[in-house]
Amino acid sequence: MSAKLAYVTGGMGGIGTAICQRLAKEGMTVVAGCGPSRDYEQWLAEQAALGYKFYASVGNVSDWNSCEGAFKAVVAEHGPVDILVNNAGVYSSLIPRPFEEIDLEEWRRVFDVNVFGLMSCCQAVLPQMKAQGSGRIVNIISGTPFKGIPFMLHYVASKGAVLGITRSLARELGPSNILVNGVAPGFTLSEGV
């Protein structure tokens, strides 16, 4: 039996790298998704030096055509995705600002990646997961929607939406043997923070 294929969006960041490494230790074939500006060859080389063999998938989760193309390429090269980890996310500005100072463009940028990107990735894998009668989706949420955080309302709202999507998809897809879960890590220092 071949190893299950796991696709991790935002797989080359701090949390994404840790997820990829853990999945590899569990015996899975791992594809790390990244944006077009990422030097994925350097990351792959760094991981290979640590003993990990990963594959890269370049695409923009917030752009449906790019996302769909990335998943089609992965399926053509490696086969169907068994496990999707929606880890890609943005905080936007590292400078906390009052609600009234967060402009519409910044709200859209955060929601385009954190919410619509997750939606696009789920929609890209669900037809084949339903066809094979199984699948796993893990959404990286955040602890912020549970307590509310001032001066970063756009991020908190986006992760609250991810929480709602996760709970609703779990109920919708459970009868199809597709399990959907969310993980809410605490504040994590990683590259760029």
Side-chain angles (χ1 to χ4, degrees):
M1 181 175 174
S2 61
K4 291 197 176 293
L5 180 65
Y7 190 111
V8 182
T9 70
M12 297 181 191
I15 293 174
T17 296
I19 293 169
C20 289
Q21 291 174 350
R22 177 57 189 262
L23 292 170
K25 288 176 183 174
E26 297 294 324
M28 297 176 198
T29 300
V30 180
V31 176
C34 68
S37 63
R38 170 67 81 163
D39 183 355
Y40 67 88
E41 291 179 347
Q42 178 183 344
W43 183 85
L44 289 173
E46 290 168 356
Q47 296 306 303
L50 295 172
Y52 296 101
K53 181 179 181 182
F54 297 131
Y55 300 94
S57 172
V58 179
N60 179 355
V61 297
S62 64
D63 177 283
W64 168 250
N65 291 328
S66 176
C67 183
E68 182 183 41
F71 278 95
K72 282 184 177 177
V74 166
V75 171
E77 185 173 348
H78 303 286
V81 175
D82 299 292
I83 300 160
L84 169 64
V85 180
N86 284 305
N87 173 64
V90 295
Y91 170 75
S92 194
S93 172
L94 291 177
I95 301 168
R97 288 186 307 205
F99 171 72
E100 67 272 14
E101 292 181 15
I102 304 170
D103 63 29
L104 185 58
E105 182 180 333
E106 196 165 344
W107 275 88
R108 284 184 173 144
R109 179 174 176 264
V110 170
F111 269 72
D112 279 349
V113 174
N114 296 359
V115 180
F116 300 121
L118 176 140
M119 179 200 74
S120 294
C121 292
C122 287
Q123 287 185 341
V125 300
L126 278 176
Q128 55 108 94
M129 285 185 175
K130 286 182 174 181
Q132 68 191 27
S134 67
R136 304 292 181 263
I137 297 173
V138 179
N139 296 327
I140 304 302
I141 305 170
S142 168
T144 60
F146 298 102
K147 56 185 175 179
I149 303 291
F151 305 111
M152 51 188 287
L153 272 70
H154 53 332
Y155 176 80
V156 174
S158 73
K159 290 301 186 173
V162 171
L163 175 61
I165 290 168
T166 301
R167 288 179 168 167
S168 298
L169 265 183
R171 296 186 69 169
E172 181 176 328
L173 299 174
S176 300
N177 196 32
I178 299 169
L179 302 183
V180 182
N181 294 102
V183 175
F187 182 74
T188 305
L189 285 175
S190 61
E191 181 183 332
V193 176

